[in-house]
Amino acid sequence: MIRCRNSSLSLLALAVFAPPALAADVTLVGLIGSKAIVVIDGGAPRTLSPGKKTAEGVVLLGTEKDAARFEIDGRKTLLHMGHAYAAASQGRTGVTLTADARGHFATMGSINGGSVRFLVDTGATFVVVPAAEAKRLGINYLQGQRNQMRTANGMTTVYRVKLDTVRIGDVSVNNVDAVVSGNDAMGVSLLGMSFLNRMEMKRDGQNMTLTKRF
């Protein structure tokens, strides 16, 4: 009986004094030379120097032109300006976007490994890629199903395609339905619901967090 009681007390002591698991939401808000200005878990902005670990377990590994490399929660990740690392729940990955002055969520990402600028558009059924961008990315869209689609600028010809990968931050989705638009006037690719439907979307003021569901 005594052994059992002591064992219970020992387990309780371990539960009380065990260090908490680290999990941090990190947003890159600025760069100064080799240093990065970040917001961690919604706190005040702070400046990190390379190699120094914060109490939350965040380490700045290095900076690039418009991005910084971090080790967060034991994982290495690259954040572009305005992007965030969202602490994964149950092993899921996420990214946090910050609205621009017009309230739009624009972000750098990639299609089939090629760099692309996206505008989040919950009103678009598919990911929409201008024809000029599709050509640059090597997408043979002319073999896709041809249709007519109504846009803000009127009717335009589109081609239905399947994208191998669409990626923003640490979130990567395979086999994404998309259309290539003959209207290059929009100048930016739209991150539509064929991508967003596979995310949990959470809006908090000027921030939108996308967490991969499947």
Side-chain angles (χ1 to χ4, degrees):
M1 295 295 293
I2 294 176
R3 290 195 194 95
C4 292
R5 189 178 301 118
N6 286 343
S7 296
S8 298
L9 289 174
S10 298
L11 290 172
L12 178 61
L14 286 172
V16 171
F17 294 107
L22 298 177
D25 292 341
V26 182
T27 304
L28 178 63
V29 297
L31 293 168
I32 305 176
S34 63
K35 298 181 179 181
I37 304 173
V38 299
V39 171
I40 300 177
D41 291 336
R46 66 178 93 169
T47 302
L48 301 186
S49 298
K52 186 175 181 180
K53 179 181 285 189
T54 71
E56 299 85 0
V58 179
V59 181
L60 173 64
L61 301 177
T63 60
E64 300 179 6
K65 181 180 178 181
D66 62 347
R69 288 174 284 107
F70 297 89
E71 183 177 299
I72 307 171
D73 299 337
R75 297 181 57 199
K76 293 181 179 179
T77 187
L78 178 71
L79 294 182
H80 290 272
M81 288 291 296
H83 280 195
Y85 171 93
S89 66
Q90 300 179 357
R92 295 180 299 169
T93 55
V95 62
T96 299
L97 310 177
T98 302
D100 60 21
R102 298 174 296 174
H104 297 155
F105 291 93
T107 179
M108 292 302 299
S110 67
I111 292 176
N112 298 351
S115 179
V116 174
R117 182 170 177 79
F118 287 112
L119 181 67
V120 175
D121 187 352
T122 56
T125 303
F126 303 105
V127 170
V128 182
V129 184
E133 280 286 87
K135 292 175 183 176
R136 180 179 65 84
L137 294 166
I139 299 172
N140 190 5
Y141 63 91
L142 293 177
Q143 291 186 350
Q145 181 182 355
R146 179 173 174 171
N147 289 294
Q148 292 290 310
M149 185 175 73
R150 186 176 299 279
T151 69
N153 297 318
M155 298 298 293
T156 187
T157 300
V158 299
Y159 297 86
R160 181 82 175 265
V161 298
K162 183 82 75 171
L163 304 177
D164 293 335
T165 59
V166 176
R167 184 183 184 93
I168 57 170
D170 284 339
V171 178
S172 181
V173 176
N174 299 325
N175 298 319
V176 180
D177 289 317
V179 294
V180 174
S181 171
N183 178 16
D184 288 324
M186 63 183 187
V188 64
S189 296
L190 303 180
L191 198 62
M193 295 307 295
S194 58
F195 178 91
L196 298 174
N197 275 337
R198 292 159 78 172
M199 304 289 135
E200 288 181 2
M201 295 186 288
K202 181 180 178 181
R203 178 75 182 267
D204 183 10
Q206 293 295 98
N207 295 325
M208 176 188 288
T209 300
L210 306 176
T211 304
K212 188 176 179 180
R213 294 193 291 122
F214 62 91

